[in-house]
């Protein structure tokens, strides 16, 4: 499997080359085009209950699609729903990543996807909801963001503060606490930041340069209200 | 080379760490790096040189540190087998600390589970409480609506309806309905309503009551009934819908919890506005099964007190359900089932025996008067 990102920037597309028999998992609806040798299979990752829990708990789509080069080698073009960058990473089999809902675009067939429950405070205030996707295994992983994607590298015990809802993915070796953006409650909210996540290394944190919720609120003000 | 089971971090290492394979021996650990390009090769650590803590997102990884302050290296272990091997081989000084760490992790997990269980219980409890207390809440809200207000509400719907209909002002049928109503109304205990009854020219076999005591009887009903007692049965049933405030209960139920809270907090006037918004129409309100049963039973008791033969109520319902199902509108809102008839018969058996007093009118004359309207 060989992947490359075409048209990097706001409207990128991922091109994945598959040898005969190879397959990738992709978010349902992510396929843009493919060679005629590629077959699309819809699969409920983790069985029916697993798929159901992912659908209702993480907000991810019920089915993932598996794109298999069953009739000879071919290529697949994939794109996310929202405008924003795609990042490609190689999982080494030891590092695990937590991915916020909607962050997963595609991945090697050998990659494992699980729904992970967050603690109450992280679920309520972290901005990613109570359930996130845990991605583990070995192979290529494609993530997508809203806006540009930025990688923060943390050394052991190094800390970094990220506004909640700007998170895309973070490695399992990091830990984070939710805290107020400013020292006082009033200042935290009047500053517009509310709650933030204080990450502690080692590990990497991928963040997106735009906040989908904030963008939604901004768009909403232009939508005419029906009587 | 064994597959990597740990990640090693340090100043010179990438942020994602370097995958390595860790083996535990009685004297310490052996760390083998895959990435030979860095020239890391193999590393042997004795237990005395490492410190232990828990780390990672869920505090479920074993973190080992060693080295000088400027060049500390950290190892993240997640494989349960390796963690178990470490715990059994490491000296008590280290494992004591490890046990404390494990206890902390367990405490955090158990606290998380408790919090979740508590949240689920609270949410579930609230849902159940709302589910089961709807009737209580509705009853409470309805009790707080003054009769005066209820009258205004019913009156406006009643007048709107009558404007489009031909109301009979006199004749044998009007007199009969008046006599039946008077007999019933005299025997209502604590009646806060002034009932107003109109006979409307219409073939539909129907009668209905609006909140506040506004009752409409169609001539179609008078034509189909075989006696005054049968009409009395229907009227008694309808009067009791008013007395039990069933119409208001339906309105409040349809408007929902928001309205209920509004009424409880004292905003009864606002209800009319909300009704308008939601589009609740008084004339199309349907009563629930429990309300029908209540009106049946209290209606039967009222007939009994008024010394009107209650058999009329049951026979009329049964006869109507057997024939002309489509045209008898009253039955569409009051489906007559065998169970309902059985229930009424059972209730009747409980009442003391009285000698019914017949009405003064001749039923044939009443029917002729109601039928003449049509011709």
């Amino acid at each position: 499997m060989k992947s490359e990102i075409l048209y990097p920037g706001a409207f990128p597309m991922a091109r994945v080359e598959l040898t005969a028999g190879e397959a990738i998992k992709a978010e349902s609806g992510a396929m843009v085009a493919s060679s005629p040798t590629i077959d699309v299979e819809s699969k409920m990752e983790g069985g029916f209950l697993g798929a159901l829990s992912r659908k209702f708990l993480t907000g991810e789509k019920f089915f993932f699609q598996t794109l298999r080069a069953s009739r000879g080698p071919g290529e697949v073009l994939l794109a996310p729903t929202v405008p924003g960058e795609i990042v490609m990473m190689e999982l080494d089999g030891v590092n695990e990543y937590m991915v916020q809902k909607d962050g997963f675009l595609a991945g090697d067939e050998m990659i494992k996807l699980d729904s992970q429950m967050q603690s109450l405070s992280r679920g309520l205030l972290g901005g990613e909801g109570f359930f996130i996707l845990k991605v583990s295994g070995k192979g290529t992983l494609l993530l997508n963001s809203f806006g540009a994607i930025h990688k923060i590298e943390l050394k052991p015990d190094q800390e970094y503060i990220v506004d909640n809802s700007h998170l895309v993915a973070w490695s399992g070796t990091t830990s984070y606490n939710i805290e107020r953006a400013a020292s006082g409650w009033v200042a935290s909210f009047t500053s517009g930041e509310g709650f933030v996540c204080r990450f502690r290394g080692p590990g990497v944190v991928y963040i997106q340069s735009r906040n989908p919720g904030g963008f939604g609120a901004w768009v909403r003000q232009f939508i005419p209200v029906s009587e | 080379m064994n597959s990597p089971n740990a990640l090693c971090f340090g100043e010179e290492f990438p942020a994602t760490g370097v995958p390595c394979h860790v083996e535990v021996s009685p004297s310490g650990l052996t760390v083998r790096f895959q990435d030979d390009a860095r020239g890391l090769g193999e590393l042997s650590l004795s237990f005395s040189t490492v410190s232990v803590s828990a780390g990672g997102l869920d505090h479920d990884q074993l973190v080992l540190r060693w080295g000088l302050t400027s060049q500390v290296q950290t190892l993240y272990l997640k494989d349960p087998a390796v963690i178990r091997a470490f715990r059994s081989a490491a000296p008590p000084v280290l494992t004591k600390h490890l046990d404390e760490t494990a206890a902390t992790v367990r405490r955090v997990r158990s606290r998380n589970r408790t919090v979740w269980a508590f949240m689920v219980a609270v949410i579930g409890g609230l849902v159940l409480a709302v589910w089961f207390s709807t009737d209580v809440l509705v009853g409470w809200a309805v009790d707080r609506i003054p009769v005066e207000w209820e009258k205004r509400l019913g009156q406006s719907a009643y007048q709107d309806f009558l404007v489009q209909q031909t109301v009979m002002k006199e004749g044998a049928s009007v007199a009969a309905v008046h006599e039946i109503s008077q007999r019933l109304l005299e025997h209502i205990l604590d009646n806060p309503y002034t009932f107003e009854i109109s006979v409307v020219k219409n073939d539909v076999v129907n009668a209905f009551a609006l909140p506040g005591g506004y009752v409409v009887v169609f001539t179609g009903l008078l034509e189909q009934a075989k006696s005054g007692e049968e009409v009395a049965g229907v009227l008694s049933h309808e009067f009791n819908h008013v007395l039990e405030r069933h119409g208001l209960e339906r309105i409040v139920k349809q408007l929902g919890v928001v309205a209920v809270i509004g009424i409880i907090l004292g905003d009864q006037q606002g209800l009319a506005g909300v009704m308008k918004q939601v589009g609740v129409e008084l004339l199309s309100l349907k009563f629930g099964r429990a309300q029908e049963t209540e009106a049946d039973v209290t209606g039967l008791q009222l007939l009994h007190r008024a010394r009107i033969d209650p058999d009329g109520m049951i026979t009329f319902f049964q006869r109507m359900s057997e024939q002309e199902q489509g045209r008898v509108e009253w039955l569409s809102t009051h489906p007559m089932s065998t169970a309902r008839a059985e229930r009424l018969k059972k209730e009747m058996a409980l009442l003391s025996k009285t000698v019914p007093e017949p009405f003064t009118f001749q039923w044939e004359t009443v029917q002729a008067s109601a039928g003449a309207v049509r011709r």
Side-chain angles (χ1 to χ4, degrees):
Chain A
M1 173 176 156
K2 225 172 86 186
S3 338
E4 65 169 323
I5 293 163
L6 308 173
Y7 323 113
F11 302 98
M13 194 154 67
R15 191 166 76 99
V16 182
E17 274 178 43
L18 299 171
T19 57
E22 251 188 342
I24 53 159
K25 285 172 194 169
E27 186 201 9
S28 139
M31 195 194 82
V32 177
S34 79
S35 308
T37 49
I38 308 288
D39 282 338
V40 181
E41 302 161 9
S42 191
K43 200 174 163 189
M44 288 179 281
E45 189 70 24
F48 180 72
L49 284 179
L52 202 66
S53 73
R54 220 177 22 251
K55 161 79 183 159
F56 289 106
L57 306 178
T58 67
E60 264 287 344
K61 297 196 177 120
F62 194 93
F63 293 92
F64 282 108
Q65 55 179 337
T66 304
L67 301 157
R68 191 180 297 282
S70 44
R71 284 173 283 115
E75 65 170 33
V76 184
L77 298 177
L78 300 164
T81 315
V82 293
E85 270 191 296
I86 299 176
V87 70
M88 189 164 62
M89 50 207 278
E90 281 300 318
L91 296 194
D92 52 21
V94 194
N95 265 300
E96 288 175 347
Y97 289 89
M98 307 300 150
V99 180
Q100 61 96 2
K101 55 179 192 286
D102 303 330
F104 174 82
L105 178 66
D108 208 291
E109 203 191 9
M110 303 309 290
I111 279 175
K112 208 170 153 235
L113 304 165
D114 297 299
S115 297
Q116 174 108 345
M117 189 165 79
Q118 302 219 81
S119 73
L120 197 68
S121 60
R122 283 177 182 166
L124 275 178
L125 311 171
E128 289 79 48
F130 287 108
F131 294 82
I132 49 174
L133 275 183
K134 186 170 86 174
V135 185
S136 56
K138 202 167 177 174
T140 310
L141 173 68
L142 295 171
L143 298 177
N144 69 269
S145 64
F146 183 57
I149 208 159
H150 178 71
K151 182 180 178 183
I152 299 166
E153 301 194 333
L154 299 174
K155 297 281 176 206
D157 294 330
Q158 190 187 343
E159 290 187 338
Y160 214 86
I161 288 165
V162 180
D163 182 273
N164 55 8
S165 71
H166 277 272
L167 281 171
V168 178
W170 56 100
S171 46
T173 49
T174 59
S175 64
Y176 77 88
N177 292 320
I178 310 282
E179 52 188 58
R180 294 189 305 257
S183 54
W185 280 103
V186 176
S188 284
F189 285 95
T190 50
S191 70
E193 299 303 331
F195 290 98
V196 291
C197 307
R198 180 186 289 268
F199 273 89
R200 175 187 279 258
V204 290
V205 180
Y206 289 92
I207 58 169
Q208 53 194 3
S209 64
R210 294 291 179 275
N211 167 356
F215 181 71
W218 181 79
V219 168
R220 215 166 293 136
Q221 62 182 324
F222 301 110
I223 300 174
V225 182
S226 59
E227 282 300 313
Chain B
M1 172 78 200
N2 288 310
S3 62
N5 57 7
L7 286 166
C8 189
F9 296 90
E11 266 312 305
E12 307 297 321
F13 291 8
T16 47
V18 176
C20 53
H21 181 82
V22 172
E23 257 177 39
V24 181
S25 65
S27 59
L29 307 144
T30 313
V31 185
R32 286 193 191 89
F33 292 94
Q34 255 186 331
D35 195 354
D36 284 339
R38 286 173 193 275
L40 294 167
E42 195 177 298
L43 196 69
S44 287
L45 297 166
S46 73
F47 287 123
S48 59
T49 56
V50 297
S51 68
V52 183
S53 62
L57 203 60
D58 294 318
H59 299 277
D60 56 353
Q61 306 194 32
L62 185 67
V63 182
L64 304 176
R65 278 165 217 268
W66 69 94
L68 300 167
T69 329
S70 57
Q71 287 204 324
V72 176
Q73 289 193 329
T74 315
L75 201 61
Y76 273 69
L77 297 171
K78 200 170 181 182
D79 188 344
V82 181
I83 295 176
R84 265 198 305 277
F86 182 89
R87 288 183 68 176
S88 61
V93 189
L94 271 186
T95 46
K96 181 174 170 281
H97 181 56
L98 203 61
D99 289 340
E100 283 167 13
T101 313
T104 313
V105 172
R106 273 197 294 274
R107 246 197 326 274
V108 169
R109 279 192 195 158
S110 126
R111 194 187 62 202
N112 279 347
R113 270 199 295 271
T114 314
V115 170
W116 272 104
F118 180 73
M119 288 296 290
V120 169
V122 166
I123 293 168
L126 277 176
V127 169
L128 283 180
V130 169
W131 182 267
F132 285 113
S133 62
T134 314
D135 285 348
V136 180
L137 279 178
V138 167
W140 192 18
V142 166
D143 284 347
R144 298 182 67 95
I145 298 175
V147 171
E148 272 313 308
W149 185 82
E150 189 185 352
K151 280 182 189 166
R152 276 208 298 277
L153 185 74
Q155 194 182 28
S156 68
Y158 181 65
Q159 282 167 352
D160 286 351
F161 177 77
L162 291 187
V163 165
Q164 309 153 18
Q165 306 290 333
T166 316
V167 183
M168 294 183 70
K169 297 282 182 210
E170 52 195 10
S173 51
V174 176
V177 169
H178 183 74
E179 185 185 330
I180 297 169
S181 307
Q182 276 316 111
R183 275 279 288 282
L184 289 169
L185 292 173
E186 278 165 18
H187 292 90
I188 294 173
L189 318 164
D190 304 326
N191 178 11
Y193 303 97
T194 320
F195 278 84
E196 224 175 272
I197 299 114
S198 291
V199 180
V200 164
K201 284 182 196 173
N202 202 320
D203 281 353
V204 211
V205 185
N206 200 6
F208 65 83
L210 291 165
Y214 300 93
V215 183
V216 172
V217 181
F218 294 99
T219 47
L221 177 77
L222 301 177
E223 276 188 81
Q224 289 297 322
K226 288 245 158 69
S227 67
E229 281 74 12
E230 292 191 349
V231 176
V234 173
L235 280 179
S236 182
H237 175 98
E238 291 299 333
F239 285 177
N240 277 287
H241 273 316
V242 174
L243 295 169
E244 303 293 338
R245 309 185 94 182
H246 288 161
L248 274 188
E249 281 177 13
R250 295 311 283 182
I251 295 169
V252 171
K253 250 187 191 162
Q254 280 198 18
L255 293 181
V257 181
V258 179
V260 174
I261 293 166
I263 295 163
I264 290 169
L265 296 180
D267 180 26
Q268 289 112 12
Q269 293 299 325
L271 193 60
V274 182
M275 268 179 67
K276 217 171 180 181
Q277 266 185 359
V278 181
V280 174
E281 282 192 38
L282 278 179
L283 293 175
S284 60
L285 271 187
K286 282 190 180 170
F287 298 113
R289 185 173 291 182
Q291 291 180 326
E292 291 301 345
T293 310
E294 192 177 14
D296 275 353
V297 174
T298 49
L300 198 71
Q301 287 161 353
L302 178 57
L303 289 173
H304 179 258
R305 281 201 303 277
R307 288 177 177 259
I308 299 172
D309 188 359
D311 262 341
M313 190 180 196
I314 302 172
T315 53
F316 180 71
F317 291 177
Q318 267 177 334
R319 208 177 61 249
M320 287 298 108
S321 66
E322 281 160 18
Q323 48 174 293
E324 292 192 74
Q325 200 118 40
R327 280 191 57 221
V328 184
E329 206 170 283
W330 200 75
L331 288 168
S332 71
T333 49
H334 300 76
M336 189 69 202
S337 62
T338 334
R340 193 170 165 195
E342 286 305 315
R343 201 197 150 88
L344 278 174
K345 280 179 189 159
K346 218 181 261 174
E347 288 292 333
M348 231 170 88
L350 294 175
L351 299 171
S352 59
K353 292 271 172 282
T354 48
V355 183
E357 284 175 22
F359 291 111
T360 57
F361 48 78
Q362 286 291 316
W363 189 243
E364 292 72 26
T365 326
V366 174
Q367 276 196 309
S369 144
V373 174
R374 213 152 36 101
R375 287 185 284 271

